[in-house]
Amino acid sequence: MLSLLLLVFLVELGAHLVNTVGAATINTLLWNLYLAVPTQTSKQAAEKQKIQSEYLTIRRDLNATSSQDQFAKWAKLRRQHDKILEQLEKMKSSHEATKARFDSTANILRWLATTGLKFILPFWYAKQPMFWLPQGWFPYYVEWILSFPRAPVGSVSIASWQTACIGVVMLLSDTIQAILGLVLGAKVAQTQPGQATAEKGPIPKSQEAKNKKDS
């Protein structure tokens, strides 16, 4: 069984990742993964791409055909173009409606798994101690604050543990960003001198002879 301490930390980590990456990006990633699964929606998406490819081919042929010199061929392509375009519009509307329902479901599940749990867990386990502090190590007011709001005095409440997890997640995030910034900055600094030398190019012989004369 997953420890409550670890569960609270994972919830805070997940909420931070969602806020950092963005809900729209996560929805797009989940949607692409969903289309990779053999379902009716993925079959419809593949059929839509196939029809769209046929539409582009017919449209290219239609634009390359003269309506005056090749009227019969142009009229046939025009009918095919309009028929496939109508079919493509219907499939596009159905696809967008399915995508909208998927996004709504993903938003609800994501909210329940992050923000919802952030409120539910402290309320449900408000009286349960996460762990006990060593007896006599801290003053009474510190023990009372750490046990706030309803955990036994001398223990760490879930609210205090949740606050600590938020601090640790933020610290880890800032540390990773700082390390990535230093690494990327070092790579840019290494490539800039080489680019500057290449852009400057070799010194002309006349300029080199002039520099020797001046020296």
Side-chain angles (χ1 to χ4, degrees):
M1 182 178 181
L2 186 63
S3 170
L4 185 58
L5 292 169
L6 181 59
L7 178 60
V8 173
F9 178 78
L10 292 178
V11 169
E12 296 299 333
L13 179 61
H16 181 75
L17 290 176
V18 169
N19 294 331
T20 302
V21 177
T25 304
I26 294 177
N27 284 354
T28 301
L29 177 61
L30 294 176
W31 174 251
N32 292 333
L33 292 176
Y34 177 68
L35 292 181
V37 179
T39 60
Q40 185 66 26
T41 303
S42 61
K43 292 180 181 179
Q44 292 177 355
E47 183 69 19
K48 175 177 172 293
Q49 292 180 351
K50 180 180 177 181
I51 294 179
Q52 187 172 6
S53 178
E54 295 178 359
Y55 168 77
L56 293 176
T57 301
I58 293 177
R59 184 178 180 182
R60 183 171 60 252
D61 295 341
L62 181 63
N63 293 332
T65 304
S66 174
S67 59
Q68 297 178 351
D69 300 335
Q70 299 173 299
F71 178 77
K73 181 180 179 181
W74 179 87
K76 181 179 179 181
L77 290 173
R78 185 66 184 184
R79 289 193 298 270
Q80 293 178 351
H81 174 274
D82 295 342
K83 181 179 179 181
I84 293 182
L85 179 60
E86 182 181 0
Q87 184 179 1
L88 190 61
E89 290 294 334
K90 292 180 180 179
M91 297 185 69
K92 182 179 179 181
S93 300
S94 176
H95 182 80
E96 291 177 350
T98 304
K99 178 67 164 53
R101 291 193 298 269
F102 180 88
D103 288 342
S104 298
T105 304
N107 290 335
I108 293 174
L109 294 177
R110 187 179 59 253
W111 186 91
L112 291 175
T114 54
T115 306
L117 285 179
K118 290 178 66 174
F119 288 101
I120 294 174
L121 289 177
F123 174 78
W124 192 262
Y125 296 99
K127 296 182 179 180
Q128 179 174 334
M130 296 292 97
F131 57 89
W132 292 89
L133 299 172
Q135 189 174 3
W137 280 29
F138 301 95
Y140 177 79
Y141 68 91
V142 174
E143 294 181 348
W144 183 85
I145 292 174
L146 293 177
S147 64
F148 184 83
R150 292 188 293 171
V153 177
S155 66
V156 175
S157 66
I158 189 172
S160 298
W161 175 248
Q162 191 177 46
T163 304
C165 290
I166 294 174
V168 171
V169 169
M170 294 300 296
L171 180 61
L172 291 175
S173 177
D174 294 341
T175 302
I176 293 174
Q177 291 179 8
I179 293 174
L180 291 178
L182 291 175
V183 173
L184 295 177
K187 289 184 178 180
V188 172
Q190 290 176 357
T191 56
Q192 283 181 348
Q195 293 178 354
T197 303
E199 292 176 357
K200 186 176 182 181
I203 301 176
K205 292 183 178 180
S206 58
Q207 183 66 27
E208 184 179 357
K210 184 178 178 181
N211 292 339
K212 289 182 178 180
K213 183 178 180 181
D214 293 340
S215 59

